[in-house]
Amino acid sequence: ETGVTQSPTHLIKTRGQQVTLRCSSQSGHNTVSWYQQALGQGPQFIFQYYREEENGRGNFPPRFSGLQFPNYSSELNVNALELDDSALYLCASSLGTPTSGREQFFGPGTRLTVL
Amino acid sequence: GQQLNQSPQSMFIQEGEDVSMNCTSSSIFNTWLWYKQEPGEGPVLLIALYKAGELTSNGRLTAQFGITRKDSFLNISASIPSDVGIYFCAGQPSRSGTASKLTFGTGTRLQVTL
C-alpha cells in the first residue's frame, strides 16, 4: 500500500510569484485535504477535495486554489505569493465521504519559502 | 485560524517516565485524533477515538475521548528516546459540510533524556 506522497520537497519562490504543489493520495483514498503549517504551530485547514470538487474551505483567501483529478491526486495553487505564505504545506488523504469523518493520513509535506 | 488548547506546551522527561498531555476545545467534536510529528515530516496518526468516553490503546499509548466531547487526553507509558517529537491532538466536527475537516491543537513538544 503506497502512502501519501508530495512534490516537491522544498521550494523557494519570490513575493508575487505563483506556485503549484502536488499530492498523490494513499492507494484507494478518494478525499484529499490540504493544510498549511507555519513554524511552531499546528496545521491549519485550507480546503478539501472530494469527487474533483472543493468541499469546504478554511480561512484562506481565493488566491489559494486547488484541483483534484480522476485518480484522486490533487494540486494546490497559490497566486501572488506573500512572505507569510512561507510554511510547510501538508496533504492528507482519507477514504469515504467528507461527512463520514474518517481518519486522515498525511504526506511528508512541501516546505515553501517565499523571499 | 482556530487551534485547540493543548497542554503542556513542552515536556522534558527522563527515559522510563510516564507522560500525560491533554487537549481542550470550546466546540464539540465527533472524532478525536492524536498525531506525532518529527522534524521535516508530516504528522503520523497514533490513535483515533470515535465515542465519548472511549479509551483506546496503541502499545504504550493510551488516549481517551472526553465525556463532554470537548476534550481528549493522551498518555505515554515508560517513555523511550524515540518518543521525542511534537504531539498534536486534532478534532473532527460533528455537524459540518466538511465533517472531516481537522482542527489541530497547538502541540506538545516532548523531549526525553537518558
Side-chain angles (χ1 to χ4, degrees):
Chain A
E1 185 178 86
T2 306
V4 179
T5 60
Q6 293 185 244
S7 64
T9 306
H10 296 88
L11 203 52
I12 299 175
K13 292 284 189 178
T14 56
R15 205 167 38 173
Q17 284 189 311
Q18 177 265 342
V19 69
T20 298
L21 310 181
R22 295 177 175 83
C23 170
S24 291
S25 61
Q26 184 167 316
S27 178
H29 284 188
N30 58 4
T31 303
V32 173
S33 303
W34 285 92
Y35 294 81
Q36 180 195 66
Q37 186 176 24
L39 205 59
Q41 297 185 23
Q44 295 281 332
F45 176 74
I46 302 175
F47 45 52
Q48 181 182 84
Y49 276 83
Y50 172 69
R51 289 187 174 178
E52 302 177 48
E53 290 189 1
E54 184 180 294
N55 181 69
R57 167 181 281 264
N59 190 26
F60 282 82
R63 59 190 185 84
F64 285 78
S65 64
L67 286 172
Q68 186 181 30
F69 300 99
N71 66 354
Y72 307 132
S73 66
S74 177
E75 286 182 355
L76 164 66
N77 300 293
V78 187
N79 294 321
L81 284 167
E82 301 176 0
L83 296 179
D84 284 349
D85 295 333
S86 296
L88 181 68
Y89 287 85
L90 295 163
C91 167
S93 73
S94 56
L95 175 62
T97 67
T99 56
S100 65
R102 302 298 295 271
E103 304 97 327
Q104 294 183 27
F105 296 88
F106 284 82
T110 294
R111 171 71 62 187
L112 173 64
T113 302
V114 182
L115 302 176
Chain B
Q2 179 193 4
Q3 284 196 309
L4 308 179
N5 296 315
Q6 202 170 332
S7 66
Q9 188 174 9
S10 62
M11 303 181 73
F12 291 82
I13 63 168
Q14 287 194 322
E15 185 177 6
E17 289 185 353
D18 296 343
V19 172
S20 291
M21 60 190 78
N22 67 71
C23 190
T24 60
S25 168
S26 57
S27 307
I28 289 174
F29 287 110
N30 195 41
T31 300
W32 282 93
L33 304 165
W34 284 90
Y35 289 88
K36 177 188 176 187
Q37 187 174 29
E38 298 184 39
E41 298 182 11
V44 174
L45 182 64
L46 300 173
I47 290 181
L49 302 156
Y50 302 103
K51 281 185 182 180
E54 179 182 356
L55 189 71
T56 296
S57 293
N58 178 11
R60 294 179 295 106
L61 277 60
T62 301
Q64 185 161 24
F65 191 143
I67 292 290
T68 65
R69 294 185 156 197
K70 292 184 177 181
D71 56 7
S72 181
F73 307 88
L74 176 69
N75 295 311
I76 305 173
S77 62
S79 59
I80 59 178
S82 62
D83 290 334
V84 167
I86 303 176
Y87 291 79
F88 288 101
C89 62
Q92 287 181 340
S94 57
R95 292 181 185 82
S96 167
T98 313
S100 57
K101 161 191 169 182
L102 293 178
T103 299
F104 278 83
T106 48
T108 294
R109 182 180 297 272
L110 179 63
Q111 300 272 26
V112 180
T113 58
L114 300 175

